[in-house]
Amino acid sequence: MIEDVIIIHLHELTLKGKNRSWFEKILINNLKDHLSKLPYKKIKILSGRILVTSINRDLWDEYQRVLKCVIGIRNFILMRRVSLDLKNIQKEALMATQALNITGSFRVSARRQNKNFKHNTNEINMIVGEFVQKNTGFNVNLGNPDINIIIEIVNNDAFIGVHKVDAYGGLPVGTSETALSLISSGIDSPVASFHMIKRGVKLDYIHFHSVPTTSKQSIFNVITILKILAQYQLNSKLYLFPLLDIQNKIMDKVDSKYWIILFRRAMIRISSEVARRNNYKVLISGENIGQVASQTLSNIVAVQDASNLPIIRPLSGYNKEDIVNDAQKIGTYDTSIEPYEDCCSYFVPPNPETKAHLDRIQNIEDKINLNSLIDTNLAKIEIKEISYE
Ligand code: ATP
Ligand code: MG
């Protein structure tokens, strides 16, 4: 029986020993969710690969778009399954090559799980290569071919394809517990969030706004960004926290050089309380060492002090250029550069403190009774469910 399938190769799961089947199960469930709108018959494990059977080849672009975003996949290949016989393989290899409608060089890359098959991979490469060369006139180029004919021999089947797509790799979402990510509509925090999702961490998000003094644009932009991130993790929750009362109190009572550090500590204190109540293990932030005056090591220490939980900063060692590249790749960049009034940038004082002294800061907070104001405002949190559309 000839059948169109997608073969998926996994990333890192080989490293996981006994946990492997648990990781595979979560990845298969994720795949079922991601592929819910596309036709297929089964998703199953086949000798270390995942097989999506009876797919519709005409919708390959759609499968590609979806599968590229499934975390844990190293690559996937559109394949035709034929019964194990060299003639079948030759015929399929030729048809797949001709269907590409390009002229160029090619190579054959065979892999063989079934060691009982009478030809080894070198022989398969040679025999199929000769056949394709004879019938197309194309040259073989092992190093940098225009067409790579991929053949996998598994059990009593042969799979042949020419469309291989790389994905992000990482660990399936949901294999690494849950965290609360502090999200702004800037460039950094969406990228930081993506990198945690890529390590299997399931995220929910918290955003602080200063409505009505600032417009609702930052909220709309954050929601747009989270819908883009929902390509990778299909469902999440967004906590929206109105920060204005707290900011007004700070701006009213405290020297402007401390505003930023106090806003940040307030955000972190609130986030860590939300995390405690909802069982998130850690907080995630898009901070980057030294990028702006408020992100010195001293200030990171002062901010961390406001949290009972570790704050993970996936981007702390990145260069700005790398963050921008990532934002473009994952699709959040265009929304992130839209102008908006951020709850912090809107109130930026002329000379923010870059080396905050912790005891002085704690003193100020005690004096203006900040913690009780935070407690009162925790009741005003709004929750939105985000899902991929
Ligand atoms: P980003 O590009 O993510 O906005 P940034 O380079 O502008 O980051 P900051 O404004 O100093 O840097 O913010 C540092 C981090 O604090 C952000 O990456 C984000 O995790 C968190 N953060 C900042 N503003 C908000 C907000 N309004 N709501 C939630 N988290 C925020
Ligand atoms: Mg910002």
Side-chain angles (χ1 to χ4, degrees):
M1 185 191 68
I2 294 182
E3 182 190 13
D4 286 323
V5 303
I6 295 172
I7 284 191
I8 295 173
H9 292 120
L10 313 184
H11 195 236
E12 287 191 33
L13 296 195
T14 41
L15 305 175
K16 294 291 168 191
K18 280 193 192 135
N19 283 335
R20 182 175 172 119
S21 65
W22 178 71
F23 278 82
E24 284 173 341
K25 212 193 256 163
I26 292 179
L27 181 55
I28 285 180
N29 281 335
N30 291 352
L31 279 166
K32 285 179 181 164
D33 291 340
H34 281 266
L35 287 170
S36 64
K37 290 187 183 134
L38 284 166
Y40 66 87
K41 196 161 158 201
K42 270 198 176 139
I43 301 179
K44 58 182 186 190
I45 305 283
L46 181 72
S47 233
R49 307 146 173 80
I50 291 178
L51 202 62
V52 186
T53 67
S54 296
I55 61 120
N56 179 352
R57 175 176 284 265
D58 296 339
L59 301 176
W60 171 236
D61 285 350
E62 282 297 296
Y63 290 102
Q64 264 189 80
R65 196 179 52 72
V66 170
L67 291 175
K68 263 187 197 168
C69 298
V70 181
I71 301 300
I73 293 180
R74 188 175 59 181
N75 60 52
F76 54 94
I77 316 168
L78 174 62
M79 297 283 220
R80 189 153 277 173
R81 184 209 313 240
V82 299
S83 55
L84 187 48
D85 171 273
L86 260 188
K87 287 249 154 7
N88 291 340
I89 298 176
Q90 284 176 321
K91 202 171 101 193
E92 276 309 324
L94 179 61
M95 271 178 20
T97 306
Q98 287 170 334
L100 281 174
N101 265 331
I102 55 173
T103 346
S105 59
F106 76 101
R107 66 165 290 163
V108 182
S109 313
R111 282 169 79 175
R112 187 177 69 142
Q113 167 272 344
N114 176 356
K115 305 286 183 211
N116 296 324
F117 184 49
K118 58 182 181 249
H119 301 284
N120 66 28
T121 51
N122 276 338
E123 288 164 0
I124 300 169
N125 288 341
M126 294 273 287
I127 295 167
V128 176
E130 266 175 31
F131 183 80
V132 170
Q133 190 174 30
K134 205 171 75 198
N135 286 280
T136 59
F138 294 173
N139 290 327
V140 174
N141 177 348
L142 295 183
N144 186 22
D146 299 310
I147 304 164
N148 186 15
I149 303 173
I150 300 160
I151 300 171
E152 297 200 18
I153 312 284
V154 188
N155 303 333
N156 289 317
D157 290 314
F159 299 87
I160 301 101
V162 289
H163 298 282
K164 176 174 169 183
V165 180
D166 287 329
Y168 286 104
L171 299 172
V173 179
T175 56
S176 303
E177 306 181 271
T178 60
L180 184 63
S181 180
L182 281 84
I183 192 100
S184 73
S185 52
I187 296 172
D188 299 353
S189 40
V191 175
S193 302
F194 172 77
H195 282 291
M196 292 318 294
I197 293 174
K198 207 183 71 194
R199 298 311 300 159
V201 179
K202 185 169 182 309
L203 295 185
D204 285 331
Y205 302 89
I206 185 163
H207 176 66
F208 297 87
H209 63 82
S210 313
V211 175
T213 298
T214 61
S215 76
K216 285 195 164 171
Q217 198 56 44
S218 78
I219 299 177
F220 298 145
N221 288 4
V222 162
I223 291 173
T224 305
I225 284 170
L226 293 187
K227 285 190 174 156
I228 294 166
L229 289 177
Q231 293 177 97
Y232 310 100
Q233 178 193 310
L234 296 172
N235 300 293
S236 63
K237 221 181 255 174
L238 168 64
Y239 300 89
L240 288 168
F241 190 97
L243 198 63
L244 193 58
D245 284 356
I246 293 167
Q247 290 180 299
N248 280 337
K249 174 113 178 206
I250 292 170
M251 292 188 291
D252 192 32
K253 304 271 184 209
V254 182
D255 184 332
S256 67
K257 68 178 180 184
Y258 295 116
W259 288 355
I260 290 288
I261 194 79
L262 288 181
F263 293 168
R264 289 208 178 290
R265 279 173 60 90
M267 290 201 279
I268 290 293
R269 198 179 294 283
I270 292 156
S271 304
S272 97
E273 182 53 23
V274 172
R276 190 188 64 77
R277 293 182 187 183
N278 298 281
N279 295 319
Y280 300 108
K281 285 270 147 75
V282 299
L283 303 180
I284 312 293
S285 144
E287 281 163 314
N288 181 261
I289 310 295
Q291 199 191 85
V292 291
S294 60
Q295 295 180 2
T296 61
L297 291 184
S298 303
N299 277 1
I300 280 181
V301 171
V303 168
Q304 176 68 59
D305 170 75
S307 174
N308 297 320
L309 297 176
I311 305 169
I312 295 186
R313 301 172 175 85
L315 305 184
S316 54
Y318 276 53
N319 295 333
K320 189 71 189 179
E321 196 185 340
D322 302 328
I323 302 174
V324 166
N325 284 341
D326 279 356
Q328 284 167 335
K329 214 159 66 179
I330 65 178
T332 52
Y333 183 75
D334 289 344
T335 311
S336 288
I337 57 170
E338 274 181 25
Y340 65 95
E341 294 165 330
D342 181 81
C343 74
C344 283
S345 56
Y346 187 66
F347 304 105
V348 169
N351 295 305
E353 183 60 80
T354 57
K355 296 228 169 84
H357 291 283
L358 205 45
D359 39 2
R360 195 171 307 154
I361 300 279
Q362 286 161 340
N363 248 330
I364 296 170
E365 284 174 347
D366 287 347
K367 229 188 258 164
I368 64 170
N369 224 340
L370 204 58
N371 286 349
S372 69
L373 188 59
I374 286 176
D375 285 344
T376 335
N377 277 274
L378 273 166
K380 297 186 192 158
I381 283 192
E382 216 188 309
I383 301 177
K384 280 202 170 355
E385 300 290 337
I386 307 282
S387 46
Y388 185 63
E389 288 168 349

